[in-house]
Amino acid sequence: AGESSEARCRFGKRMEMFRMHYASLGKEEWWWVMDDVQEAIGAQLQKEGYVVLDGLLTTPQMRALKSEVLACHKAGKLETAGLVNGKKEGSEEAKY
């Protein structure tokens, strides 16, 4: 059984508070690498196996990433990939 939507909402609000706090300290681009944020993200990963981080990138970072991905796609550098469940022991059973 996964986490309740209420618990996911609490986690999202906690991440938003971290983001706003570090933005107020001039660290908007790097809020997610701070020790307290990493601890909260790690706990969520251990509990659920995934994390959703709204607001991870700033708008300029998103635009730069989009531009880079489009350029890689145009140059034929992107390959089909899959997902892996890190909680599974064997590599074959971990694939989606």
Side-chain angles (χ1 to χ4, degrees), residues 70-79:
L70 289 172
C72 288
H73 183 9
K74 186 175 180 178
K77 294 181 179 179
L78 299 182
E79 298 178 14

Side-chain angles (χ1 to χ4, degrees), residues 21-96:
H21 170 72
Y22 286 109
S24 74
L25 298 175
K27 299 178 181 189
E28 181 180 19
E29 289 186 39
W30 302 106
W31 69 273
W32 49 272
V33 299
M34 301 303 170
D35 289 342
D36 51 354
V37 181
Q38 288 292 301
E39 185 176 320
I41 290 170
Q44 182 74 0
L45 281 170
Q46 286 293 324
K47 184 177 180 182
E48 292 298 317
Y50 71 94
V51 175
V52 175
L53 295 173
D54 287 333
L56 176 67
L57 302 175
T58 64
T59 299
Q61 288 172 323
M62 287 187 288
R63 288 185 180 133
L65 178 60
K66 180 181 177 183
S67 177
E68 187 172 341
V69 169
L70 289 172
C72 288
H73 183 9
K74 186 175 180 178
K77 294 181 179 179
L78 299 182
E79 298 178 14
T80 302
L83 298 175
V84 174
N85 183 342
K87 291 186 174 184
K88 301 279 185 179
E89 292 287 331
S91 61
E92 283 306 309
E93 68 182 27
K95 292 180 182 176
Y96 287 88

Side-chain angles (χ1 to χ4, degrees), residues 3-16:
E3 187 177 41
S4 72
S5 61
E6 185 177 309
R8 285 190 301 273
C9 187
R10 280 194 307 270
F11 177 78
K13 287 180 181 179
R14 187 171 181 209
M15 292 298 105
E16 177 64 14

